[in-house]
Amino acid sequence: MVDEEVSIGGESIDVTPHPRLLAVLGDIEFAPWQCLAELIDNAFDDFLSDPPEDDTPTVTISLPSRNSDHRDAQVWISDNGRGMSLDHLNMALSAGWSSNARYGKLGLFGMGFNIATARLGNTTQVRTTRAGDSEWVSVTLDLRKMATQDNFVVPVIREPKDDPAEHGTQVIVSDLKQEQHDLLSRQQTKIRDLLGDVYSYLLRERDFSLRVDGKAVQPLLPCVWNKDRFVVQRGVKYPAYIEIDKELPSLKACHDCGRWQDLTVRECEECGSPELEERERRIRGWLGIQRYSHKSDFGIDFLRNGRKILVRDVRIFAWEDPNELGARPESEYPIEVPNEGRIVGEIHIDHVRVNYQKNAFEYNTIEWKQVVRTLRGDGPLRPNIARDAGYPPNESPIGRLFTGYRRLDPGLKYLVPGDGDHAIHEKAREWAKLFRKGDPEYQDDHIWYEQAKQHDEPKVIVPPESTGPGDGDDDARSRLDIPDPTDSQPQPEDPTPPRETEDQKQERYRQQGEVLHDISGEYSLPGFGNALKVTVYGLNGTEVSDTNGQRVPVYVQQQRGTDVHVFVDFGHSLFTDFGADPREYAVLGVAEHIRDRRGSTQALSSIIADLMDRCLPDQKVTPTALGGAAHALLDRVRSTMRPVISGNSEGFWGYVMEPEQAAAEQRFAQEGMDADWQDARESGAWILYASSAALSRLIQQRPGEFLDGRVFRAPYQTFTDSHARALTVNRLIGYLNDAGQLAEHQTRRRPDELNRGRLSCRLLEAELVDAPEDSS
């Protein structure tokens, strides 16, 4: 402990730094928001111990304005906590001092306070008072003056206060460092967002309040699927939300160094301190699946005393083989195309020590390794890798989420929104932004769920083999639930029923239609006035007519304010007979409405192009976008073929041409990590690296092994006519070759070629049976 000197005559305190701090002060880098966080921690720790009874626990921060000068600018941080006595204030300002609660709290008052304030500016004033005190106690630390005088004794100022019930602490940092001032005065919004992320739990669950420049810091809310959502893979139920609550045996914690030790010891085995206290240890929180996927916005938040230490951390998804010397951690998630993740979580580990910057835990401790083992188990997440390494299937919480949700195929099977053709990842991310803005319509997951459900519903697809306009009319009517015109219809009692009003008609459309969430939302274009809130309804079995009573494929009507409703007749011949895309025509209708509303002369095609670019980014027909989708589809084909190939790996390998064999071996060398090629040859895993040409060749050589529901749904053995068999195989090979061209040769193509490729991928996917869930 440092010497405590409180002079009562000419009142002053001694804040001489402890020697153990001097060696590390210059090496610790703190970003401006981290400096603020250190001061917030001190207040929040106090709130956790003893929240104010008369008010919301609140920390208020004021930052310098953009046009301020760093020599005049100040940073204010105030709270309505209990306040401090003079003795407590003296210890709190003594750099290196640690209270008995040091390793039970985040604040590390003294160490963090001095580093944070010294990095922000050269002068720090602290004012504090307790309820019932008649005055404020104030001290000012002038680092330049103290360094010049080599004197760390600072005077105490007492100021009367108007309200004896007032309590709290204020910290005012002035004479700011130039670089700190520049960041603080220009990044208020970014700092507010960072603090809302780091303190999300305390702000939303403990009702703490944090304000920056008069604006409340909003907690970053986790956008996850509801707790009752789940998927079923191979008969096993996998929930989308898993509670974590693992109680560990209590141990003694050292107040001085933080080490945990057995309950029987009387002195710390590391530093010899007798200051030991028995404490509980617990791993608690939750893991779940985000409603959207993202390349970087996923991972696990690890918290200490309510503050995030690791934010969206992905190290938990890496596995390191303990039986291999020099092995490096290998990332196991995400591994599907697109390379986006959605496993998230919030795990509280108050018993695990953090570093001085509070941006990492001490990863070599038993406590941290126990956390990793609890969440992800000992073995690999990927079933095949686990089996090859001698581990059982990974049934840990993260292992279950990985098994149930590793893929991003649209539909309810993996809880991924889709539009009937492909996943709408970009749209799902836009909905997440509305969720975080507080839009009430997006607070639960029903829109995401309905869009995943709509993707799975039967779609009207005109077979390429249709020979005449009358073919399949009955089937189409059945699918669309359209009554047969020859069916007897009950006659109305009143031969002249009242005519339906326009409002009644639109209400009927809304009642009978289903909202197409993927193309509903905000539509706006520069120069065309306020944004429109568009809701698109798709109708099956209900004819849509305009104000003249004429049937139309798309009907657009302005509602109150900026609301616009679009009604799409899926049963219209434009879609059933000519194969037009209902969603594209819905956007066309919105574009025409926008143009007419503004009286614009701009070409309709130009407006449509702008709206498509803004509102349907997931449907872009580009070599890159289609190539990624085709790549993912071919991976599914390979995974589904693997069990068949494993039955006679070398025999099937013999059908592959030498250049294709070499290409597979080269791809394995690039992507196979530390796996053994000979093992892949023997097990059949080589198929996962085969080209699309090799896949086509295998199907052509041994179609009976892959059709009839084994890999593809198409019948083969039931045909006795050789020509019929050839037609079936050739159709699949055509789809497969088109997908291969998109995935493996992403060159410039004409739009009609790209559309053909997209249709081939859609038809190939419809033919493919579900892949085994244990494929790696």
Side-chain angles (χ1 to χ4, degrees), residues 716 719-730:
Y716 181 78
F719 287 123
T720 57
D721 180 74
S722 60
H723 184 62
R725 289 186 172 189
L727 287 175
T728 299
V729 173
N730 290 339

Side-chain angles (χ1 to χ4, degrees), residues 168-187:
T169 300
Q170 297 178 350
V171 178
I172 303 171
V173 184
S174 55
D175 190 12
L176 301 183
K177 307 288 181 64
Q178 179 73 61
E179 66 276 10
Q180 301 292 328
H181 169 264
D182 292 345
L183 293 172
L184 289 169
S185 62
R186 290 177 170 83
Q187 296 186 350

Side-chain angles (χ1 to χ4, degrees), residues 416-427:
V416 177
D419 63 3
D421 293 329
H422 38 58
I424 51 172
H425 300 304
E426 187 63 35
K427 195 71 175 181

Side-chain angles (χ1 to χ4, degrees), residues 664-683:
E665 190 169 355
Q666 291 166 15
R667 183 180 175 191
F668 178 90
Q670 294 175 330
E671 304 176 10
M673 304 299 291
D674 297 328
D676 184 78
W677 173 244
Q678 188 59 38
D679 290 342
R681 283 281 306 276
E682 294 174 0
S683 68

Side-chain angles (χ1 to χ4, degrees), residues 132-194:
D133 290 347
S134 60
E135 56 194 2
W136 287 87
V137 175
S138 173
V139 296
T140 300
L141 309 180
D142 188 329
L143 298 182
R144 287 175 175 170
K145 183 177 180 180
M146 289 191 293
T148 301
Q149 297 177 351
D150 195 23
N151 184 349
F152 295 89
V153 177
V154 296
V156 174
I157 305 298
R158 295 183 179 273
E159 308 168 14
K161 66 180 184 181
D162 298 329
D163 183 2
E166 192 174 6
H167 52 87
T169 300
Q170 297 178 350
V171 178
I172 303 171
V173 184
S174 55
D175 190 12
L176 301 183
K177 307 288 181 64
Q178 179 73 61
E179 66 276 10
Q180 301 292 328
H181 169 264
D182 292 345
L183 293 172
L184 289 169
S185 62
R186 290 177 170 83
Q187 296 186 350
Q188 286 94 336
T189 300
K190 183 176 182 179
I191 289 173
R192 193 180 293 112
D193 291 342
L194 283 168

Side-chain angles (χ1 to χ4, degrees), residues 78 143 330 471 473 648:
S78 61
L143 298 182
E330 178 184 348
D471 291 348
D473 281 353
N648 193 329

Side-chain angles (χ1 to χ4, degrees), residues 71-353:
R71 290 165 296 187
D72 302 321
Q74 295 182 339
V75 175
W76 289 57
I77 304 97
S78 61
D79 66 66
N80 61 349
R82 290 176 293 179
M84 293 178 282
S85 66
L86 183 59
D87 287 348
H88 192 181
L89 177 62
N90 183 28
M91 291 186 293
L93 299 181
S94 299
W97 170 81
S98 61
S99 75
N100 285 344
R102 173 178 178 181
Y103 285 97
K105 295 185 176 182
L106 269 177
L108 312 186
F109 218 166
M111 179 75 75
F113 176 87
N114 282 270
I115 296 173
T117 55
R119 286 192 64 80
L120 288 176
N122 295 301
T123 304
T124 300
Q125 180 189 27
V126 182
R127 302 174 72 243
T128 187
T129 188
R130 298 171 298 176
D133 290 347
S134 60
E135 56 194 2
W136 287 87
V137 175
S138 173
V139 296
T140 300
L141 309 180
D142 188 329
L143 298 182
R144 287 175 175 170
K145 183 177 180 180
M146 289 191 293
T148 301
Q149 297 177 351
D150 195 23
N151 184 349
F152 295 89
V153 177
V154 296
V156 174
I157 305 298
R158 295 183 179 273
E159 308 168 14
K161 66 180 184 181
D162 298 329
D163 183 2
E166 192 174 6
H167 52 87
T169 300
Q170 297 178 350
V171 178
I172 303 171
V173 184
S174 55
D175 190 12
L176 301 183
K177 307 288 181 64
Q178 179 73 61
E179 66 276 10
Q180 301 292 328
H181 169 264
D182 292 345
L183 293 172
L184 289 169
S185 62
R186 290 177 170 83
Q187 296 186 350
Q188 286 94 336
T189 300
K190 183 176 182 179
I191 289 173
R192 193 180 293 112
D193 291 342
L194 283 168
L195 296 178
D197 193 351
V198 171
Y199 294 106
S200 172
Y201 172 79
L202 293 174
L203 294 177
R204 74 174 193 270
E205 300 294 338
R206 300 301 294 266
D207 293 327
F208 287 5
S209 175
L210 180 59
R211 303 185 68 83
V212 175
D213 285 347
K215 295 182 179 180
V217 172
Q218 299 299 325
L220 182 70
L221 302 178
C223 185
V224 294
W225 290 94
N226 292 359
K227 295 181 180 181
D228 59 345
R229 299 298 189 196
F230 64 90
V231 298
V232 177
Q233 310 291 1
R234 305 192 74 185
V236 179
K237 180 179 177 180
Y238 295 96
Y241 186 97
I242 300 176
E243 297 275 1
I244 305 294
D245 190 0
K246 182 177 180 61
E247 185 174 359
L248 306 174
S250 297
L251 293 176
K252 284 184 177 180
C254 176
H255 292 312
D256 289 336
C257 71
R259 177 175 173 177
W260 292 95
Q261 41 228 311
D262 191 80
L263 295 175
T264 59
V265 302
R266 296 186 176 181
E267 292 184 351
C268 177
E269 297 175 344
E270 184 165 313
C271 69
S273 171
E275 299 293 331
L276 304 178
E277 179 186 4
E278 181 179 344
R279 290 184 183 153
E280 75 166 16
R281 302 180 305 147
R282 184 182 297 271
I283 303 170
R284 62 183 179 87
W286 57 269
L287 298 170
I289 299 299
Q290 206 162 231
R291 299 179 207 166
Y292 61 93
S293 63
H294 200 276
K295 291 188 179 299
S296 59
D297 183 15
F298 68 96
I300 313 302
D301 295 332
F302 290 93
L303 292 78
R304 168 76 184 263
N305 282 67
R307 169 179 166 172
K308 293 181 183 179
I309 304 300
L310 299 178
V311 180
R312 288 175 283 285
D313 191 72
V314 297
R315 74 190 67 225
I316 202 77
F317 302 136
W319 182 72
E320 180 179 340
D321 191 344
N323 300 315
E324 183 176 340
L325 293 177
R328 295 181 179 179
E330 178 184 348
S331 178
E332 297 190 286
Y333 177 83
I335 57 176
E336 303 290 340
V337 176
N339 194 239
E340 298 174 355
R342 53 186 181 137
I343 297 178
V344 294
E346 188 176 77
I347 303 299
H348 299 258
I349 45 176
D350 297 343
H351 64 289
V352 183
R353 287 178 287 178

